[in-house]
Amino acid sequence: MRIHSKQIIAEKRAEVLVVGSGSAGAATAIAAAKTGADTLLVERYGFMGGVSTQVLDTFYGFYTPGSSPRKIVGGVPDLVVDALKKRGAMLIRPNTYGAGDGVTYDPETLKMVWESLALEAGVRLLFHTFVMDVLMEGARVAGVVAATKRGWFEIRADCIVDATGDADVAAWSGAPYEGPDEGPVQSLTTTFRMTGVDDARARAVRKDALHALLAQAAESGKYDLPRREGSIHITPYPGVMATNMTRVGDVDATDPEQLTRAEVEGRRQAMEYARFLRDFVPGYEHAFLTDFSNQIGVRESRRIRGVYRLTKEDVLAARKFDDAIAQCGAPIEEHHSGRDTHWEYLPEGATYDIPYRCLLPQLVEGLLVAGRCLSAEHDAHASVRSMGQCMAMGQAAGAAAALSCQGETLPHALPVDTLRERLAGMGAVL
Ligand SMILES: Cc1cc2nc3c(=O)[nH]c(=O)nc-3n(C[C@H](O)[C@H](O)[C@H](O)COP(=O)(O)OP(=O)(O)OC[C@H]3O[C@@H](n4cnc5c(N)ncnc54)[C@H](O)[C@@H]3O)c2cc1C
């Protein structure tokens, strides 16, 4: 059988091509353009932000957890928070759920913040474009093939950053990676918001009281609540609460059939948790579920096998590296299948470094990754994946990609001091 529509309808070019516009990809593109590169950002959906606008509303990782929070992320991430603040669309939630101070925002405003920061920096945006294959020249990733309503495009670039979350570009180029076939991956969550909440009464319900009510409802046999320690929090808007309660385990998020079943199950669970909230929790009696996340939230799928692989020991020992491009102080937060979530902390106030080598895949050239598909063990990944760190990694990958183009060198050969100097100049905390 012949594929009738298999034709390349156009060719595009960029110095730096960024695939995926989540926290990592958005920061990558902004940093690359600000470093002077002609930058193209390709995204499969019609807006930027990935999980930051599709699923969530709180940046973690900006501050260390504990009694004396220290800000450990800066530069492009600060531009994002400042723009949200200017629009009255954010608030700081102190040390929530042990993860440190969170920056809670309105995701709809963030969609506009991301695109205005990108456009102001000079990034060319291309939405509704799904990258589906790579163009190789020897070991170098020279471009990608993208699917659109008009057919297929080839996009060639001097340097490519894979910020797809799932390491799509790296996987198709033949770079080694690990994923659900090699070991455990975290469970998935459909988030949802409740509107019409009596804020004062709902806020008076503390975490332990909520968990006791979840257990009581589940044990009554009348509610199907697989997770018993889900969280719920205030938003910038009166009467609106955001949740992180559902849990769908054992899913390979790169398999569309498994992901389809997970979407259906996530929404089913969300309706069940909303019923529980109305029936059991003070303040929710007249509230209703207004929106599900745009898609089910995927915490972990493919992680590349990079030049360095961040380990659990690096995290818990707060290890420092000469090629540090960002810091992280977040605990290991393990969302496995089952009722609870497991937390393991660094020493109070400590941080570890994220090495540049974790963004460099093995075996292929001309390619960097940023965000949750970095090179890390499963346990280390459970700490390093917060959006603050994804933005910081993106900033580093974008600067590295632009500097590589300017120096006519490959990202693997870029002198790390040059990169760190550029990052310090942008306001990164190293
Ligand atoms: C349920 C859940 C709760 C979480 N809670 C928090 C929290 O409260 N705070 C926090 O800081 N972190 C939290 N995290 C972790 C954090 O949100 C993620 O690790 C982070 O957002 C990942 O960012 P990313 O840019 O790497 O990937 P993503 O945000 O997934 O972005 C990937 C982007 O690439 C696009 N894309 C993918 N494939 C292609 C393709 N082939 N072609 C074109 N475009 C493509 C996607 O549409 C998307 O826009 C949570 C994660 C989940 C799932």
Side-chain angles (χ1 to χ4, degrees):
M1 196 165 51
R2 194 166 63 91
I3 299 175
H4 182 62
S5 64
K6 188 173 178 182
Q7 55 183 6
I8 302 295
I9 59 160
E11 189 181 303
K12 290 184 181 291
R13 240 207 75 77
E15 281 180 320
V16 174
L17 168 65
V18 184
V19 184
S21 73
S23 305
T28 303
I30 294 165
K34 280 184 177 288
T35 308
D38 165 40
T39 305
L40 178 64
L41 177 60
V42 174
E43 166 58 47
R44 67 175 153 171
Y45 292 132
F47 55 89
M48 289 174 66
V51 169
S52 77
T53 50
Q54 295 163 15
V55 181
L56 294 181
D57 70 351
T58 301
F59 297 138
Y60 284 128
F62 273 69
Y63 299 93
T64 53
S67 50
S68 321
R70 184 162 54 90
K71 187 165 165 295
I72 52 166
V73 165
V76 172
D78 288 338
L79 301 179
V80 178
V81 175
D82 290 348
L84 287 164
K85 199 175 199 171
K86 216 184 274 173
R87 290 165 163 88
M90 59 75 74
L91 54 92
I92 300 280
R93 283 194 298 123
N95 215 13
T96 48
Y97 285 82
D101 290 2
V103 180
T104 294
Y105 52 82
D106 169 42
E108 303 308 323
T109 306
L110 181 58
K111 288 177 185 168
M112 301 185 69
V113 164
W114 277 129
E115 64 201 20
S116 45
L117 288 175
L119 291 169
E120 279 161 22
V123 176
R124 289 187 284 141
L125 299 178
L126 190 61
F127 292 157
H128 298 296
T129 301
F130 187 86
V131 169
M132 49 175 275
D133 207 344
V134 290
L135 304 164
M136 299 296 293
E137 283 174 5
R140 195 174 83 83
V141 189
V144 298
V145 180
T148 73
K149 285 280 187 183
R150 291 199 154 187
W152 300 10
F153 282 90
E154 277 184 9
I155 309 174
R156 293 186 177 268
D158 298 330
C159 188
I160 299 175
V161 182
D162 180 346
T164 58
D166 299 320
D168 288 355
V169 180
W172 295 325
S173 72
Y177 63 86
E178 46 194 339
D181 290 342
E182 287 75 33
V185 291
Q186 305 241 14
S187 59
L188 287 70
T189 294
T190 298
T191 58
F192 62 94
R193 288 195 289 190
M194 297 293 287
T195 301
V197 179
D198 178 337
D199 285 329
R201 290 175 57 242
R203 286 178 80 151
V205 181
R206 313 309 301 175
K207 181 172 80 172
D208 290 347
L210 176 67
H211 294 174
L213 291 171
L214 277 163
Q216 192 188 329
E219 277 149 29
S220 75
K222 294 183 185 143
Y223 299 81
D224 177 11
L225 307 172
R227 181 178 172 193
R228 307 279 169 84
E229 42 56 90
S231 66
I232 188 153
H233 61 255
I234 56 166
T235 68
Y237 299 114
V240 181
M241 291 279 183
T243 74
N244 185 335
M245 304 188 100
T246 68
R247 170 164 287 164
V248 184
D250 306 316
V251 177
D252 178 347
T254 63
D255 174 346
E257 289 188 349
Q258 293 187 42
L259 199 53
T260 301
R261 284 197 293 274
E263 294 282 9
V264 172
E265 171 61 12
R267 280 188 283 272
R268 187 196 69 77
Q269 285 187 22
M271 293 306 282
E272 192 68 351
Y273 278 95
R275 186 167 75 91
F276 152 75
L277 287 168
R278 270 191 305 270
D279 292 353
F280 272 77
V281 185
Y284 291 86
E285 296 85 350
H286 305 295
F288 42 94
L289 189 159
T290 38
D291 46 317
F292 300 116
S293 44
N294 288 74
Q295 70 149 77
I296 193 166
V298 177
R299 293 184 172 85
E300 184 181 11
S301 53
R302 299 187 191 107
R303 308 180 308 276
I304 64 154
R305 276 285 198 154
V307 174
Y308 185 78
R309 183 166 174 251
L310 193 72
T311 67
K312 178 178 184 179
E313 203 192 342
D314 296 334
V315 170
L316 295 177
R319 189 150 297 151
K320 305 293 175 195
F321 295 93
D322 289 342
D323 63 337
I325 45 93
Q327 294 184 48
C328 182
I332 293 174
E333 184 184 339
E334 172 71 57
H335 291 258
H336 47 90
S337 299
R339 293 175 179 182
D340 61 342
T341 300
H342 182 66
W343 302 75
E344 260 183 283
Y345 283 85
L346 281 70
E348 167 101 22
T351 58
Y352 61 91
D353 288 339
I354 304 173
Y356 177 52
R357 287 164 295 158
C358 289
L359 311 185
L360 297 171
Q362 293 176 12
L363 301 184
V364 298
E365 290 168 350
L367 181 69
L368 288 145
V369 305
R372 72 171 169 84
C373 52
L374 86 162
S375 175
E377 286 180 356
H378 167 76
D379 292 314
H381 183 269
S383 161
V384 77
R385 67 192 174 84
S386 292
M387 292 189 280
Q389 278 62 42
C390 286
M391 285 187 234
M393 282 185 249
Q395 171 165 261
L403 291 171
S404 300
C405 294
Q406 285 154 15
E408 295 187 6
T409 183
L410 292 166
H412 285 68
L414 183 71
V416 81
D417 289 345
T418 311
L419 172 60
R420 283 168 51 87
E421 213 172 285
R422 171 66 188 145
L423 291 175
M426 295 178 87
V429 184
L430 296 175

